[in-house]
Amino acid sequence: GEVKMSKSSFYHYFASKSDLFEQIMEQAFAPFSAIMAQFEPEALSAQSFWPDLLQMTGIASDMVQNAPEIISVWRMFYRNLDDADRLCAKMMELPLSLTTRLLQHGQTLGLIRQDLPLSLLISSVMALGMALDRWVMENFATLDGAEISRLNEKGLDLFKRILAP
C-alpha cells in the first residue's frame, strides 16, 4: 500500500522498513508479551496447571476479539517468520522460553510425559500452537465467542493428549 509520506519523512521516524515492521509487531503484540512476561509456570500446581492454561487462552482470545486488527499483524508475522532479519524468530524467544519452563514444570508435577526428549516435546508443542494459530487466523471472521471458547477447550485437549504421561 501507499503511505502519503516522503522518503525523508519516513526515515526521520524509522531507520528502515525493518524498523517499521518491528515497531508494528512490538506494538500489536505488546499486550500478549506483557501477559507472557508476568506468567510464572512454576507457580502452577498439579490442580491449577491445565485450568490456568485454559484461562490464559481465553484471555488471549478475548484480546483478539476486542482488537481484530491483530489478525492482520499476526498474518504478517507468520509470513515473515523465516525472513533474513530474524525479527520474528527473535520475537518467538519469549514464547519458546515460556513453553520450555511450562513443560519442565509440568514434568516435575507429573503432568507431562518424560519418555521423549524435552526438545522434541517443545518442538511438537510449538508446531501445534502455530498450526492452531494459523487455522484461527484463516477462519477468524466466521467464529463467534462461543465457538472460540469451544475451540480453546478442544485445542488445549490436543496439547493434553500429546503431552500426557
Side-chain angles (χ1 to χ4, degrees):
E2 193 171 310
V3 178
K4 306 240 186 258
M5 178 187 285
S6 69
K7 271 189 174 184
S8 62
S9 293
F10 175 86
Y11 287 110
H12 174 75
Y13 294 103
F14 303 102
S16 64
K17 288 180 187 176
S18 288
D19 185 39
L20 170 62
F21 182 72
E22 182 174 0
Q23 293 289 327
I24 290 169
M25 291 291 140
E26 285 180 3
Q27 186 174 354
F29 294 133
F32 299 100
S33 297
I35 288 171
M36 284 188 282
Q38 294 174 0
F39 183 59
E40 291 294 329
E42 297 79 10
L44 299 176
S45 68
Q47 294 74 31
S48 70
F49 191 87
W50 294 114
D52 283 2
L53 291 179
L54 181 59
Q55 182 182 13
M56 284 196 62
T57 304
I59 290 168
S61 295
D62 289 346
M63 290 167 70
V64 173
Q65 287 176 308
N66 292 327
E69 63 276 7
I70 291 172
I71 294 290
S72 298
V73 179
W74 212 352
R75 286 185 181 120
M76 281 194 308
F77 176 83
Y78 276 113
R79 277 196 302 269
N80 290 281
L81 194 54
D82 299 319
D83 272 9
D85 66 8
R86 308 247 326 122
L87 170 66
C88 293
K90 283 185 264 179
M91 290 181 72
M92 288 298 290
E93 289 173 4
L94 179 58
L96 183 60
S97 169
L98 196 58
T99 298
T100 302
R101 290 171 52 209
L102 193 57
L103 292 176
Q104 288 172 324
H105 184 61
Q107 286 179 329
T108 301
L109 295 173
L111 300 174
I112 304 294
R113 66 190 308 154
Q114 296 185 40
D115 61 332
L116 293 170
L118 181 62
S119 59
L120 177 57
L121 294 177
I122 293 166
S123 294
S124 299
V125 165
M126 295 299 289
L128 177 57
M130 288 193 286
L132 290 169
D133 281 354
R134 286 180 168 146
W135 188 90
V136 168
M137 279 187 306
E138 295 310 313
N139 295 280
F140 185 74
T142 67
L143 304 173
D144 64 17
E147 181 64 3
I148 290 172
S149 292
R150 190 185 79 77
L151 289 169
N152 284 343
E153 290 176 19
K154 296 298 180 182
L156 187 65
D157 185 60
L158 286 173
F159 287 106
K160 286 168 78 170
R161 289 171 182 256
I162 288 170
L163 295 170

